[in-house]
Amino acid sequence: MDTFDTIGFLGFDVFGTVVDWRTSVARRAEPFLRRHGIDVDPSRFADEWRAEYQPSMERVRSGERAFVRLDILNRENLGRVLLRHGVEPAALPDSELADLNRAWERLDPWPDSVEGLARLKRRFAIGPISNSHIAGMMNLARFGGLPWDVIVGAEIAQTYKPRPETYLRSIEAVGLPPERAAMVAAHNDDLAAASALGLRTVFICRPREHGSEQATDLEPARDWDVVAEDLVDAARQLGC
């Protein structure tokens, strides 16, 4: 694709685009919930935990709170969800809570992800522009075999997407101007924020990220530069 001839770096959203967070978190939460008699469906528990994600980051984005890493926010959010189900986090072993929180670093890639990334890597440098922290992305990459060249994102920028700094400081860190980078994501709002800064855009269809009743991001909201069924299809369209 000629429009990508000058592109040197592909930045990836990870949660939902590259890995299946919902199924993975539910699977790891299930024995914890059963062990402690918490009567909630594991998939619903994963959804409730994820629902705290954006509100907790918004406090940082708005300046209400200084930047803290996503693993810290996730641990706080876990406590809020447990309280909602009548469980006092302080009454549970800290080691178990810490282990459950690491579920976000043990997420299964979608079936096409590793092959698609490996193919894209033949032509482009690749790495996450994620709201996760560097250690979390490193651990997730080792768990799932994700072949990143570099890890950038929120911890580099000290703020969270879709704040412009998250994209711009990440691209600056890999030594390129925005027009020589592209954002790859399954979320239209992520691509809109990147596009406004001059990045090219690749939309990946993930209609089951939120389960069978997903109602968001089922299709591209705009005429993105590339619209692909999955990462293997994106690699094919980009000549990889």
Side-chain angles (χ1 to χ4, degrees), residues 78-122:
L78 173 60
R80 276 190 280 274
V81 175
L82 289 171
L83 283 171
R84 193 177 302 144
H85 290 282
V87 178
E88 175 56 61
L92 299 177
D94 187 74
S95 60
E96 288 195 40
L97 295 172
D99 184 66
L100 180 57
N101 200 45
R102 284 193 291 272
W104 295 97
E105 301 176 9
R106 302 165 180 167
L107 307 174
D108 295 330
W110 295 108
D112 57 277
S113 290
V114 174
E115 178 186 350
L117 291 175
R119 288 177 57 175
L120 289 163
K121 185 180 169 81
R122 297 172 190 169

Side-chain angles (χ1 to χ4, degrees), residues 6-7 171 176-181 197-200:
T6 61
I7 298 300
I171 299 305
L176 294 171
E179 62 269 20
R180 293 201 56 209
L197 301 170
L199 282 74
R200 296 297 174 89

Side-chain angles (χ1 to χ4, degrees), residues 19 46 49 70 100 108 119 121 131 159 165 184 201 203 210:
V19 297
W49 196 357
L70 187 63
L100 180 57
D108 295 330
R119 288 177 57 175
K121 185 180 169 81
N131 282 327
T159 191
E165 301 96 307
V184 184
T201 52
F203 180 81
H210 297 277

